Amino acid sequence: MDGNITGEESERGTGGSDKFALLIKHYRELRNFSLKDLENASGGSVSAGYIHRLESGERNSPSVKKIIALAKALRIPSAVLVATLLHGLEEKDRLFSLAEVLIQNSYFLGSGMLSSEAKQSLIRIVEFIDHAEWSPTSKIKELYQLSEIIDDFKQAVS
């Protein structure tokens, strides 16, 4: 704990806490940040323990200062984090990344709803396809890697 009562301990609230948690974790992992790396990238404004509590849903209404620090460290607009917390607000003209759409909504596959883990796996599949080199010399290796990610998705939905 940071010991800062005025911003952390009173931050239980309502809103898109599960979606916010998943979004923070997604962007942290996308940047290959450990919890400590994200703390350092935030200039120490948000502790690794606090980030863990956000990602696990123990804390769900961070202060504006912490949202801005996290957004800057994750290299995303702070509005993305705020909009996720306040998901009930309409944003008709805003374009969303595929990851945001998957995280902020619920989906069924077969007879069951996709879990957060399944959504993360699906995002990894799409991002891998988008970022892979797909050259003649790398295709076999990349197809194998993609099949491993697909296996993770299949396990998450079963």
Side-chain angles (χ1 to χ4, degrees), residues 75-86:
R75 299 186 305 272
I76 59 175
S78 56
V80 170
L81 297 180
V82 172
T84 303
L85 279 172
L86 306 172

Side-chain angles (χ1 to χ4, degrees), residues 1-40:
M1 263 194 196
D2 293 342
N4 179 357
I5 302 279
T6 62
E8 291 189 10
E9 298 306 313
S10 63
E11 290 179 7
R12 291 196 180 272
T14 60
S17 61
D18 291 341
K19 295 172 186 175
F20 182 79
L22 190 56
L23 194 64
I24 292 289
K25 185 173 183 177
H26 165 72
Y27 279 107
R28 179 177 61 79
E29 290 176 347
L30 184 66
R31 304 289 184 246
N32 292 317
F33 283 167
S34 66
L35 292 169
K36 189 67 175 171
D37 292 336
L38 184 52
E39 175 184 343
N40 293 337

Side-chain angles (χ1 to χ4, degrees), residues 102 107-125 148-158:
L102 286 171
Y107 301 96
F108 285 93
L109 183 63
S111 62
M113 192 161 58
L114 287 184
S115 67
S116 294
E117 182 183 354
K119 289 179 182 181
Q120 281 291 96
S121 293
L122 193 53
I123 291 167
R124 282 193 296 273
I125 291 169
E148 293 290 312
I149 300 169
I150 292 170
D151 286 343
D152 292 342
F153 174 72
K154 288 175 69 177
Q155 286 180 342
V157 295
S158 59

Side-chain angles (χ1 to χ4, degrees), residues 131-145:
H131 294 101
E133 186 179 320
W134 300 114
S135 70
T137 57
S138 69
K139 277 186 184 177
I140 292 175
K141 178 183 174 189
E142 290 166 338
L143 285 171
Y144 177 79
Q145 290 171 328

